[in-house]
Amino acid sequence: MRVSSSIPPDRAFLATALHTPERGRLEVLRDTLIVAGGDGRIQEIHPARSPQTGALIRRFASAGTLVTLGPGQYLLPGLVDLHVHAPQWPQLGRALDLPLEEWLQAHTFPLEARYADLGYADSMYESLVEALLANGTTTALYFGTIHLPATQRLADICLRKSQRALIGRVAMDDPAQCPAYYRDASAQSAEAQTRAFIAYVQSMPGNRGGLIRPVITPRFIPSCSDDLLSRLGALARETGCHVQTHCSESDWEHRYVLERCGITDTAALERFGLLTRRTILAHGNFVDAGDIALIANHGAGIAHCPLSNVYFSDAVFPLQRVLQQGVHVGLGSDIAGGGSPSILDNARIAVMVSRLLESGVDPALTRPQRRRPGARIDAVTAFWLATAGGGMALELDVGVFREGFQFDAMVIDAGVPNSNLRLDPADTPEEILQKIIYLAGRANIREVWVANRRVHAQDTAPRGGPL
Ligand code: GUN
Ligand code: FE
């Protein structure tokens, strides 16, 4: 879908909106008027039935800028994906049976090396950004590849399609873990290319509001020399840019860093200057109490990737423990470590794996040995992670319907043909949200909006014709 780059008009949305302004708390904005401005931000929120709101509604209706949701339709905040490998899109759903370190060498690095070809990069990135928008992902934190031109194309495509995107050119220079055909020539050149990418994004025409942001992206400690990690830490301090990397994902990764650095992954990242308020650590499955305290003290965040963790992590992420220590957490698809592009899928899987952690999984153990009481999260918390939690982790004003926040939203429609989502008049708002999380598919995501621009509209025209 082509999105106009001109300033959008002030617009008003008349809808029942569901959102989670705090962790674990669902708020229903029944029959509400949300006014979004030309700067993409929410200007006003009013109950639709008040007399003053009537005049506003008439004004927007006569200007042709009133969007009215119908029965069975709900307005929800757009979804935040805190961890996506954009180049791994063609790998989604395959090669999920190897351990992480073998999967990287046998499948992932050879695939990522192909992005030296800009034509390939263009077609893959176009298709990915469209698919993520259609799945309701309005903000994505992307790993690119080591290639500056291809990663610039990803930024161009996100800007043209108006997806809020934080993007990193991947830095990886250590010959011990990176093959000769896919690694930075040196720590100096990796730093120089990272600087060039930051400068490119910051001067992109049309990126005035910072819809696209550059991210300092050391792949993970095993891929990077100490020299490169120190340089990127200094760059984070110099620029204030976001940082993303993988941390304590699997037994292998956690141990590799312990052996090389003599301290945990988190502690090493801190020593290199890579743990900041704007750092997102992917996975973090093996963080210990000291790591959790370090992450919380720096205000860094964790991208919980529940589906990917099933395949690569060797354990269930201790989500409740981490949340209770005040760490920012959101959800990541980890395409293609996880086999789904959907953050709604990941929200439902986050609930499931937390239940498995709580109950335990091995019936040969006694109940007390098996259980981790208090580990479960509910669907409302999963939705908070998928929206407001991700937004807070990134320090962005997204994920909640609040004056001054970005108008990033999706229209969920239970009335589309062939819907698994079925609502009942007896459903409470909490049950409606539960049903959306457990059952809504791509077909139910009728429209998607980013910064008051419509970036996706479901084609619901009848598909007639002979079978
Ligand atoms: N660790 C380093 N690189 C990767 C990657 O591409 N995917 C995952 N899941 N973990 C990683
Ligand atoms: Fe990853």
Side-chain angles (χ1 to χ4, degrees), residues 79 131-137 342-344 409-414 416 421 436 440-449 456-460:
L79 303 168
L132 292 189
L133 287 171
N135 277 286
T137 298
S342 159
I343 286 298
L344 277 183
M410 59 181 177
V411 175
I412 296 287
D413 188 350
V416 295
L421 172 63
I436 290 172
R442 184 163 158 168
N444 299 105
I445 300 177
R446 183 70 179 260
E447 289 186 356
V448 181
W449 295 77
H456 172 76
Q458 182 72 42
D459 172 16
T460 51

Side-chain angles (χ1 to χ4, degrees), residues 83-85 87-88 91 100-101 103-104 108-109 112 143-144 170 172 218-223 245-247 249-250 252-253 282-283 305 308-309 312-313 333-338:
H83 186 54
V84 195
H85 294 269
Q88 296 174 22
Q91 184 166 268
L100 174 66
E101 61 279 21
W103 174 80
L104 289 172
T108 305
F109 294 158
E112 292 192 12
F143 275 58
V170 173
M172 45 193 281
R219 184 172 203 115
F220 64 161
I221 288 180
S223 295
T245 190
H246 297 84
C247 176
E249 177 177 0
S250 66
W252 170 81
E253 189 211 326
H283 307 282
C305 306
S308 170
N309 287 345
F312 292 113
S313 79
S333 64
D334 193 24
I335 291 169

Side-chain angles (χ1 to χ4, degrees), residues 213-407:
R213 297 181 188 216
V215 183
I216 295 167
T217 307
R219 184 172 203 115
F220 64 161
I221 288 180
S223 295
C224 299
S225 65
D226 285 7
D227 183 17
L228 176 54
L229 292 163
S230 303
R231 285 168 184 270
L232 295 182
L235 190 59
R237 203 164 32 251
E238 177 189 325
T239 60
C241 285
H242 285 83
V243 175
Q244 61 181 340
T245 190
H246 297 84
C247 176
S248 292
E249 177 177 0
S250 66
D251 276 325
W252 170 81
E253 189 211 326
H254 190 64
R255 256 192 258 120
Y256 187 98
V257 178
L258 268 177
E259 276 163 28
R260 183 175 124 191
C261 302
I263 48 177
T264 63
D265 212 339
T266 305
L269 290 168
E270 193 214 25
R271 218 174 259 184
F272 288 118
L274 289 162
L275 211 56
T276 76
R277 170 65 186 91
R278 293 185 156 194
T279 295
I280 301 292
L281 305 173
H283 307 282
N285 297 304
F286 291 89
V287 289
D288 64 18
D291 296 331
I292 296 172
L294 263 186
I295 298 168
N297 288 342
H298 285 274
I302 292 182
H304 174 35
C305 306
L307 179 56
S308 170
N309 287 345
V310 170
Y311 300 107
F312 292 113
S313 79
D314 309 302
V316 173
F317 174 61
L319 172 61
Q320 278 288 22
R321 224 177 93 212
V322 168
L323 285 172
Q324 280 157 17
Q325 297 300 310
V327 172
H328 296 124
V329 185
L331 295 179
S333 64
D334 193 24
I335 291 169
S340 167
S342 159
I343 286 298
L344 277 183
D345 275 356
N346 276 280
R348 57 186 78 121
I349 294 161
V351 175
M352 288 178 211
V353 297
S354 77
R355 298 288 293 265
L356 292 176
L357 183 60
E358 179 163 303
S359 65
V361 294
D362 185 352
L365 299 177
T366 64
R367 184 177 158 85
Q369 286 170 332
R370 230 189 303 134
R371 280 171 54 76
R372 291 277 177 280
R376 72 167 66 183
I377 60 160
D378 61 10
V380 172
T381 299
F383 191 73
W384 177 86
L385 290 169
T387 53
M392 281 171 65
L394 290 170
E395 219 179 21
L396 294 178
D397 297 334
V398 301
V400 181
F401 296 123
R402 182 177 295 153
E403 284 170 17
F405 270 47
Q406 299 284 345
F407 184 78

